[in-house]
């Protein structure tokens, strides 16, 4: 079992001024920047004068794409791309995106980041009316609803609008029709989506702003929760019918999911992590130690913030091996401990004989933290004090991450004292929810914090959607 939390997906779309091979290439480079949002599969679809071609596969962007298959996508003026980590639907090729539909009203390709919490109900309803689905992905249900609504409306935008009314849960979507590129976010705005522009004025959309500089573009603004933006040629239309006065972005985007160079809701993810580390130090002032280290990668920035605020020296505690691929051979049980050191090893000179504050971004199942504490102790750290830059994860997430059951959450089974003992630390402390909200700094009512306090901005489904959905679809 992989012990980290996973984001569901990353999406990208571009409408270029002139048709060229660059539409596919831009998508390719942008997906590289979004790779952290999903490593199971990826794909690109290109629109050449109304004809959409696509290529997708299982694996990383660098495994799936090469010069030949990028060029085979052809000259186009629109392209969309996707990196996937599944939360609804398994990780088979049928569930890889973009999802391409050939329909009486023209072709349609769609990419989705999120999780439709009423997917099962919608699927059953559509199937009872004769629909046949080819995958177990909730995205196919969205695509089906759009094509059905397209038959009753005059434009793809209207069909998309009608579909939004049917959907519950989280969805940041990019839809590419024969002539238009449409980007939209669910009215809560659980998952991020932003808009950028290239030097020559081509419009782009991406899950995170870190994708724009890789294609020579810059961040313009976030797509508002509930907003639908349609690009056709040089015309851009903004529809705010579903926008509310505020949204509730997933707070975990700042803690862990997003890349630190991204800007989400006008707030730097890097700055949010640095501030979270400072608040963590403020809340744990009494701690006496010699050095502060961060757990690579997402704990490093908070560790720097902690050190700055506490006045303790920051040092590199670990080296992370960047060359472990997906085909990593799993060890036998008695090799397991050494293999952890292949992935992450302590820098003994920096921690030996010292009282170490080890800052991590979060603790989900506790098993990874336990191993890392052991690595420090084996490197002769005198004491290891674990400080976590977010609160205890106590509730499932239904809105686009892979934590769908409290069974997997250590804080649901143990109190702080028990967790401290389990992970082998000398002490353990978490950042408070108020501290985290203040650290991020946007209006603190504008978050989803459901996994920390059980209060969700939208009523969660009464069952674990992923398990129920997979059970039904895959028998
Ligand atoms: S429940 Fe937690 S992980 Fe899920 S969307 Fe809300 S804040 Fe994010």
């Amino acid at each position: 079992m992989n012990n980290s939390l996973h984001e569901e997906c990353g999406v990208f779309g571009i409408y270029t001024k002139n048709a060229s091979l660059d539409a596919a290439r831009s998508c390719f480079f942008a997906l590289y920047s979004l790779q952290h949002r999903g490593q199971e599969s990826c794909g690109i679809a290109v629109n050449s004068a109304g004809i959409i071609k696509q290529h997708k596969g299982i694996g990383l962007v660098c495994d799936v794409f090469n010069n030949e298959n990028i060029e085979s996508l052809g000259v186009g003026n629109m392209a969309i791309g996707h990196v996937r980590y599944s939360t609804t639907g398994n990780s088979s090729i049928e569930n890889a995106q973009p999802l391409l539909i050939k329909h009486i009203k023209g072709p349609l390709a769609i990419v989705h980041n999120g999780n439709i919490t009423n997917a099962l109900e919608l699927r059953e309803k559509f199937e009872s009316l004769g629909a046949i689905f080819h995958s177990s992905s909730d995205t196919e249900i969205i695509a089906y609803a759009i094509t059905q609504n397209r038959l009753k409306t005059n434009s793809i935008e209207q069909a998309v609008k009608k579909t939004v009314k049917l959907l519950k849960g989280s969805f940041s979507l990019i839809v590419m029709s024969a002539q238009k590129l449409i980007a939209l976010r669910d009215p809560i705005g659980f998952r991020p989506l932003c808009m950028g522009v290239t030097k020559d004025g081509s419009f782009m959309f991406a899950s995170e702003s870190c994708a724009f500089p890789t294609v020579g573009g810059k961040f313009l603004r976030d797509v508002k929760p509930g907003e639908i933006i349609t690009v056709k040629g040089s015309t851009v239309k903004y529809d705010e019918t579903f926008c509310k006065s505020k949204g509730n972005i997933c707070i975990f985007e700042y803690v862990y999911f997003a890349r630190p160079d991204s800007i989400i809701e006008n707030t730097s993810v890097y700055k949010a992590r640095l501030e979270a580390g400072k608040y963590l130090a403020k809340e744990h002032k009494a701690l006496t130690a010699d050095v502060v280290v961060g757990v690579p990668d997402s704990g490093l920035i908070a560790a720097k913030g902690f050190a700055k605020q506490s006045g303790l020296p920051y040092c590199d505690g670990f080296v992370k091996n960047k060359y472990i691929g997906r085909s990593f051979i799993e060890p036998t049980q008695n090799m397991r401990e050494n293999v952890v050191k292949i992935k992450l090893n302590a820098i003994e000179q920096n921690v030996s004989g010292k009282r170490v504050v080890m800052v991590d971004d979060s603790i989900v199942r506790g098993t990874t933290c336990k191993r890392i504490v052991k690595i420090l102790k084996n490197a002769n750290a005198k004491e290891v004090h674990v400080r976590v830059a977010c609160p205890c994860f106590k509730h499932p997430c239904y809105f686009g991450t892979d934590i769908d059951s409290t069974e997997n959450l250590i804080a649901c089974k143990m109190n702080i004292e028990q967790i401290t003992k389990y992970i082998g630390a000398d002490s353990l402390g978490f950042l408070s929810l108020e501290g985290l909200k203040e650290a991020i700094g946007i209006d603190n009512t504008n978050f989803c914090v459901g996994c920390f306090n059980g209060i969700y901005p939208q009523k969660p489904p009464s069952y674990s959607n992923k398990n129920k959905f997979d059970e039904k679809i895959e028998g």
Side-chain angles (χ1 to χ4, degrees), residues 414-469:
M414 297 182 196
N415 61 30
I416 300 263
E417 204 181 312
Q418 290 166 324
I419 301 173
T420 310
K421 204 167 166 206
Y422 173 77
I423 62 174
D426 293 280
S427 74
L428 170 66
F430 291 83
L431 178 59
S432 68
L433 185 52
E434 280 320 305
L436 178 60
K437 287 178 177 178
E438 279 181 35
I440 296 169
I442 56 179
D443 174 351
N444 79 17
T445 57
N446 282 29
F447 295 111
C448 172
V449 292
C451 49
F452 300 127
N453 65 6
I455 302 167
Y456 302 91
Q458 187 182 79
K459 194 169 176 267
S462 55
Y463 52 80
S464 162
N465 192 58
K466 176 176 164 47
N467 292 345
K468 197 76 191 247
F469 196 89

Side-chain angles (χ1 to χ4, degrees), residues 190-191 250-252 257 393 396-397 399 401 448-451 456:
F190 283 105
R191 309 259 69 93
C250 166
I251 203 165
F252 224 66
F257 294 140
F393 210 125
C397 173
F399 303 106
T401 74
C448 172
V449 292
C451 49
Y456 302 91

